């Protein structure tokens, strides 16, 4: 009896110690045990991983750092590092704004809106449609610029300002060099990987967290944007940090963690408008969670409100000084809504409204958000049209192509071995995560915040336009669910029960089907790497490098495998200027192998053969040019000269007569036609030869 009593006392002592000091471990991997208990069961490997947290974090940091050092070296040595010189891009907009801040304009005490060729065309079209409104800008030095400034509400920020101010501070401290910005963006990328791991660990346990960390390290788009001068990296970090702080705050009873989460949300509002929706979703989640005891929601809500207001104080101060509406952050909301929701937007081809449609929107939609929304919705014939647009957006979400916006993922991949070696993209993560969203439902109590952020990101994606950088925050919240799917399938197989193995097989099959759907082919009209992706900074190379400045850049493009007829054409022009006719001929024939009806290459082959003395071969190519491009005058001019030199007056007269009818006011046509008619004795231009 003494032994039994002793054993009983030992069990009671152990139970008492466990109650007093519960183990600080994350939720275990979800798997229904043999007894049918719905609680997660404990696995030995989960316990082992819990003891190795410090080493796991060290490994994540080291691997993330090594990956980013290699990526930085690749891009810093490539033309991509100069992408911010593309004048029409967001990269140039942020760079220019950061330079002005570093120079001392800390309030941005001027209109911060860009005014490029697009804005000039837009203003010109607006004044064509509404000539009566041009008078109100007659006194302005630049009426078109004044119009655009008014449309963007004067000194109100064109877009959320935090990213530009971080660039400005960086330029002020370290000098005006984008590589310093890229350095802290790469550090934010490392921090984001750590946060993704910690979020997965809090929601799903150690094993899923480890798989999630591996997926985050191998997900190429997360790495890609860290060397692009746009706010995508800052957005992904802020989303991860805000989500992590919200999860931590839910585990504490103090209001201070909620104040920290509020500061994170407030900073997010200064980065991107999407944080309004994330904040609203979090507030609704807290209210629903506390519906039986409403007072318990008061402390978190006050903490959130306090943190948000702290971050908004600089905006309130600036708006007070400059006379803007107190809480206004950015002026792009109406325009962004029109681009993403009008009937003119096509998510399948990612085409947006044209200049004329935008000008009409500017003139007829009014100055309020409500009127802009109503105007946009009226562009649809009926509800079916709008629902079709939404369904097309959803289909674009589940698609492999990373739609370019300012920077092209596939173009950067051509310049970076590291970006090529990092294998994962959205079809892999998205297909696994879709199953994970369903499989992880038993863990909803502990992971509802992650669910909330994920569903909200999907809704945001449907509200916005389709492009790769808008998909990035969604991918970040989906990666833990992708990791959960892999672990759950493994646990089901491990049980060796047919029902669970069947679940594992069905899940794997669903993943394969989803991935197959995502990998459907790109429309034939769309190139994976577009001409604009590499010609966007061609003018800058030409301006900064002198007459021959762009040639090394073009040769670099050929060297990395760009197959674009315009690249070869421009190189051929350089060769023609050097009178290197052999090289020019080879390059131009490469153009025609890529595009047999590329008229500029055909015309320049005529120039090549004139230079080599093969006049009649030149005539063959100019005749082709006349057939393919009858509205271009220079082939007619050259053909008249060639046929005159060969005494083929009949054909010269045919060309001259046709050219005069098509180009009656072209001086070159008139000059050569006069010679042709004079040589043939045809003073009467109307007489047929």
């Amino acid at each position: 009896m003494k032994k039994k009593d002793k054993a009983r006392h030992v069990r009671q002592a152990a139970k008492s110690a466990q109650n007093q000091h519960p183990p600080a471990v994350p939720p275990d991997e979800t798997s229904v045990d043999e007894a049918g208990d719905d609680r997660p069961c404990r696995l030995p490997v989960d316990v082992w991983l819990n003891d190795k947290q410090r080493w796991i974090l060290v490994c994540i940091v080291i691997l993330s750092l090594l990956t980013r050092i290699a990526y930085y070296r690749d891009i810093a040595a490539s033309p991509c590092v100069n992408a911010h010189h593309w004048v029409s891009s967001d990269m140039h907009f942020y760079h220019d704004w950061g330079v002005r801040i570093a120079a001392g304009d800390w309030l941005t005490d001027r209109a911060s809106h860009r005014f490029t060729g697009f804005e000039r065309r837009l203003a010109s079209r607006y004044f064509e449609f509404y000539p009566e409104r041009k008078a109100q800008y007659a006194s302005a030095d630049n009426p078109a610029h004044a119009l655009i400034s008014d449309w963007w509400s004067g000194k109100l920020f064109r877009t959320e300002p935090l990213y530009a101010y971080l660039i400005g501070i960086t330029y002020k401290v370290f000098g005006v060099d984008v590589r310093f910005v890229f350095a802290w963006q790469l550090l934010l990328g490392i921090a984001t990987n750590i946060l993704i791991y910690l979020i997965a660990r809090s929601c799903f346990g150690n094993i899923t967290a480890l798989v999630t960390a591996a997926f985050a390290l191998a997900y190429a788009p997360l790495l890609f944007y860290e060397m692009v001068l746009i706010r995508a990296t800052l957005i992904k970090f802020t989303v991860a940090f805000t989500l992590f702080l919200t999860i931590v705050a839910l585990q504490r009873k103090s209001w201070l963690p909620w104040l920290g989460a509020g500061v994170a949300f407030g900073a997010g509002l200064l980065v991107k408008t999407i944080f309004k929706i994330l904040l609203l979703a979090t507030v609704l989640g807290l209210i629903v969670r506390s519906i039986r005891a409403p007072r318990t929601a008061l402390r978190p809500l006050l903490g959130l409100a306090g943190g948000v207001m702290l971050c908004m104080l600089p905006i309130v101060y600036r708006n007070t000084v400059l006379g803007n509406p107190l809480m206004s952050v950015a002026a792009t909301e109406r325009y962004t809504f029109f681009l993403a929701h009008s009937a003119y937007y096509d998510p399948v081809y990612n085409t947006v409204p044209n200049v004329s449609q935008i000008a009409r929107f500017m003139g007829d939609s009014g100055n309020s958000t409500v009127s802009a929304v109503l105007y946009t919705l009226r562009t649809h014939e009926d509800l079916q049209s709008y629902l079709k647009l939404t369904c097309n957006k959803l289909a674009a979400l589940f698609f492999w192509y990373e739609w370019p916006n300012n920077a092209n993922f596939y173009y950067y991949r051509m310049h970076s071995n590291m970006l090529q070696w990092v294998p994962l993209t959205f079809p892999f993560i998205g297909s696994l995560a879709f199953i994970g969203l369903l499989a992880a439902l038993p863990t909803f109590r502990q992971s509802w915040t992650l669910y909330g952020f994920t569903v909200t990101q999907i809704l945001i994606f449907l509200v916005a336009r389709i492009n790769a950088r808008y998909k990035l925050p969604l991918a970040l919240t989906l990666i833990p669910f992708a990791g959960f799917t892999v672990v759950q399938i493994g646990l089901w197989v491990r049980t060796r029960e047919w029902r669970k193995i069947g679940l594992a097989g069905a899940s794997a099959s669903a993943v394969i089907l989803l991935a197959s759907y995502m990998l459907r082919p790109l429309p034939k009209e769309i190139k994976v790497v577009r001409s604009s992706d590499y010609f966007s900074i061609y003018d800058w190379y030409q301006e900064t490098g002198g007459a021959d400045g762009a040639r090394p850049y073009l040769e670099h493009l050929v060297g990395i495998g760009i197959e674009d007829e315009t690249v070869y054409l421009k190189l051929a022009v350089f060769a023609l200027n050097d009178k290197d006719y052999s090289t020019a001929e080879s390059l131009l024939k490469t153009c025609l192998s890529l595009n047999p009806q590329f008229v500029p290459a055909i015309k320049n082959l005529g120039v090549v053969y004139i230079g080599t003395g093969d006049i009649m071969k030149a005539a063959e190519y100019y005749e082709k040019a006349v057939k393919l491009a009858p509205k271009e005058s220079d082939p007619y001019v050259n053909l008249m000269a060639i046929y005159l030199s060969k005494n083929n007056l009949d054909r010269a007269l045919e060309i001259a007569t046709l050219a005069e009818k098509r180009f009656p006011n072209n001086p070159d046509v008139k000059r050569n036609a006069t010679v042709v008619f004079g040589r043939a004795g045809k003073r009467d231009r109307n007489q047929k030869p």
Side-chain angles (χ1 to χ4, degrees):
M1 295 294 294
K2 289 183 178 181
K3 290 183 178 180
K4 292 181 179 179
D5 291 341
K6 185 176 180 179
R8 180 166 50 83
H9 287 308
V10 169
R11 288 195 299 271
Q12 289 176 348
K15 186 175 181 181
S16 175
Q18 187 177 8
N19 290 334
Q20 292 177 10
H21 303 286
V25 296
D28 307 320
E29 309 308 320
T30 303
S31 179
V32 181
D33 62 16
E34 288 79 359
D37 191 355
D38 287 340
R39 294 171 300 173
C41 66
R42 198 81 167 136
L43 295 175
V45 67
D46 189 71
V47 178
W48 183 83
L49 289 172
N50 191 66
D51 295 335
K52 304 296 181 182
Q53 289 307 306
R54 182 177 299 177
W55 290 107
I56 292 172
L57 289 172
V58 168
C59 289
I60 293 172
V61 171
I62 291 173
L63 290 173
S64 298
L65 181 61
L66 292 176
T67 301
R68 280 153 179 80
I69 289 173
Y71 181 47
Y72 178 88
R73 292 185 64 182
D74 288 341
I75 298 302
S78 78
C80 298
V81 77
N82 294 313
H84 61 286
H85 292 296
W86 177 17
V87 177
S88 298
S89 68
D90 287 353
M91 292 90 77
H92 182 81
F93 171 74
Y94 284 119
H95 170 72
D96 184 60
W97 192 355
V99 168
R100 286 189 277 111
I101 291 170
D105 187 10
W106 294 99
L107 282 180
T108 310
D109 190 10
R110 50 168 282 189
S112 61
H113 321 301
R114 66 187 179 197
F115 190 71
T116 63
F118 171 78
E119 283 76 20
R120 291 186 184 92
R121 293 193 303 274
L122 181 60
S124 175
R125 193 59 53 85
Y126 179 90
F127 287 136
E128 285 179 21
F129 291 154
Y130 309 99
E132 71 281 1
R133 300 181 190 179
K134 192 172 183 177
Q136 68 186 89
Y137 298 103
S139 60
D141 294 335
N142 188 333
H145 193 282
L147 168 69
I148 297 300
S149 181
D150 277 359
W151 169 248
W152 293 120
S153 304
K155 292 183 180 180
L156 197 64
F157 290 130
R158 184 181 188 276
T159 187
E160 295 80 4
L162 183 56
Y163 183 61
Y165 275 85
L166 291 176
I167 293 173
I169 293 169
T170 304
Y171 287 171
K172 182 70 175 178
V173 175
F174 298 104
V176 180
D177 191 331
V178 294
R179 288 173 292 187
F180 292 121
V181 178
F182 294 156
W184 59 255
Q185 287 189 170
L186 292 166
L187 292 176
L188 288 183
I190 296 173
T192 302
N193 285 348
I194 295 171
L195 289 169
I196 294 173
Y197 168 79
L198 294 175
I199 290 166
R201 183 170 180 261
S202 297
C203 294
F204 302 132
N206 292 302
I207 302 176
T208 297
L210 188 63
V211 176
T212 297
F215 285 170
L217 286 165
Y219 188 64
L222 284 180
L223 181 62
F224 158 55
Y225 285 104
E226 293 169 20
M227 288 290 288
V228 183
L229 199 70
I230 52 178
R231 53 187 170 167
T233 295
L234 183 60
I235 291 171
K236 76 173 183 184
F237 168 77
T238 310
V239 168
F241 189 54
T242 305
L243 175 56
F244 175 72
L245 288 181
T246 303
I247 292 172
V248 170
L250 285 167
Q251 298 170 352
R252 309 289 174 84
K253 294 183 178 180
S254 171
W255 62 274
L256 280 174
W258 285 109
L259 180 65
V263 170
F265 274 112
L269 291 173
L270 302 181
V271 176
K272 184 70 175 173
T273 308
I274 63 171
F275 283 88
K276 289 182 181 179
I277 306 174
L278 289 172
L279 178 60
L280 177 61
T282 303
V283 169
L284 290 176
L286 287 171
I287 292 173
V288 171
R289 186 171 178 265
S290 308
I291 197 164
R292 294 184 179 179
R295 289 187 179 182
T296 60
L298 187 61
R299 186 178 297 170
L301 293 176
L302 289 175
L304 282 175
V308 170
M309 290 307 300
L310 280 174
C311 286
M312 293 300 293
L313 286 176
I315 294 294
V316 172
Y317 171 75
R318 177 185 181 271
N319 288 339
T320 301
V321 172
L322 300 183
N324 295 326
L326 281 184
M327 298 298 289
S328 297
V329 177
T332 57
E333 292 180 356
R334 289 175 297 160
Y335 176 66
T336 302
F337 186 86
F338 175 71
L339 291 184
H341 293 267
S342 72
Y344 314 124
Y345 174 51
D346 183 2
V348 176
Y349 293 93
N350 204 23
T351 54
V352 296
N354 60 37
V355 171
S356 297
Q357 291 160 347
I358 296 172
R360 288 290 188 190
F361 170 71
M362 288 174 59
D364 298 339
S365 64
N367 294 320
S368 71
T369 301
V370 173
S371 61
V373 169
L374 293 175
Y375 177 92
T376 301
L377 295 179
R378 281 196 294 268
T379 62
H380 294 272
E381 294 180 358
D382 48 32
L383 179 61
Q384 184 179 356
S385 171
Y386 187 77
L387 292 176
K388 181 181 178 181
L389 173 65
T390 305
C391 290
N392 284 338
K393 285 185 180 182
L394 193 61
L397 170 61
F398 292 100
F399 189 46
W400 66 271
Y401 187 55
E402 297 285 332
W403 285 104
N405 182 271
N406 290 278
N408 187 314
F409 168 72
Y410 307 99
Y411 179 59
Y412 274 63
R413 238 183 184 179
M414 297 177 78
H415 290 90
S416 172
N417 290 327
M418 178 50 64
L419 207 57
Q420 293 173 22
W421 293 339
V422 179
L424 301 187
T425 52
F426 194 78
F428 180 86
I429 294 298
S431 54
L432 284 173
F434 186 80
I435 305 303
L437 286 166
L438 300 176
L441 283 173
T443 71
F444 187 78
R445 281 190 175 183
Q446 68 209 33
S447 59
W448 71 267
T449 313
L450 179 59
Y451 268 98
F453 269 59
T454 302
V455 173
T456 304
Q457 290 290 349
I458 293 173
L459 293 176
I460 290 170
F461 192 81
L462 295 179
V463 167
R465 281 189 297 142
I466 304 302
N467 65 57
R469 61 180 173 137
Y470 292 169
K471 194 188 292 185
L472 197 64
L474 172 60
L476 183 147
T477 60
L478 288 177
I479 288 174
F481 288 106
F484 185 89
T485 300
V486 172
V487 173
Q488 190 63 61
I489 289 175
L491 290 173
W492 282 335
V493 172
R494 179 177 175 270
T495 62
R496 298 182 181 179
E497 294 180 14
W498 288 110
R499 182 177 65 86
K500 294 180 180 178
I501 291 174
L503 283 173
S507 299
S509 300
V511 167
I512 293 170
L513 287 173
L514 278 170
S516 300
Y517 175 71
M518 291 186 188
L519 292 171
R520 62 193 186 276
L522 195 66
K524 292 181 180 180
E525 300 86 348
I526 299 173
K527 292 182 178 180
V528 174
V529 178
R530 310 159 303 173
S531 297
S532 59
D533 295 319
Y534 35 86
F535 276 117
S536 55
I537 57 172
Y538 174 82
D539 291 340
W540 177 78
Y541 275 103
Q542 204 164 23
E543 291 169 6
T544 57
D548 219 27
R551 180 183 281 187
Y553 176 58
L554 295 171
E555 291 171 345
H556 166 79
L557 294 177
V558 172
I560 63 172
I562 291 290
E563 293 187 346
D564 186 283
E565 57 269 26
T566 310
V567 172
Y568 288 94
L569 174 68
K570 289 183 179 294
L571 279 172
V573 171
F574 280 116
L576 281 172
N577 292 336
D578 295 339
K579 298 189 183 304
D580 184 355
Y581 296 117
S582 176
T583 300
E585 180 184 18
S586 175
L587 290 167
L588 291 169
K589 287 188 174 179
T590 303
C591 288
L592 295 182
S593 69
L594 296 171
N595 183 355
Q597 297 185 338
F598 190 45
V599 174
I602 293 171
K603 292 193 298 184
N604 277 285
L605 275 169
V607 176
V608 167
Y609 293 123
I610 288 175
T612 60
D614 194 346
I615 303 298
M616 293 313 297
K617 197 166 186 180
E620 290 179 19
Y621 281 95
Y622 285 128
E623 291 281 7
K624 289 181 182 178
V626 166
K627 291 179 181 178
L628 291 172
K631 294 183 179 180
E632 295 188 19
S633 62
D634 46 323
Y636 295 90
V637 173
N638 290 326
L639 280 171
M640 283 187 276
I642 289 173
Y643 288 127
L644 277 177
S645 69
K646 293 297 182 178
N647 293 318
N648 188 347
L649 291 180
D650 289 341
R651 184 57 181 157
L653 283 168
E654 290 176 5
I655 296 294
T657 304
L658 187 60
E660 276 212 327
K661 287 181 179 179
R662 288 180 174 171
F663 313 102
N665 299 316
N666 186 294
D668 293 330
V669 169
K670 284 183 176 181
R671 183 185 64 249
N672 280 19
T674 299
V675 175
V676 171
F677 285 116
R679 181 82 63 85
K682 301 278 187 181
R683 299 298 180 183
D684 184 1
R685 301 285 179 92
N686 296 320
Q687 182 179 350
K688 293 184 179 180

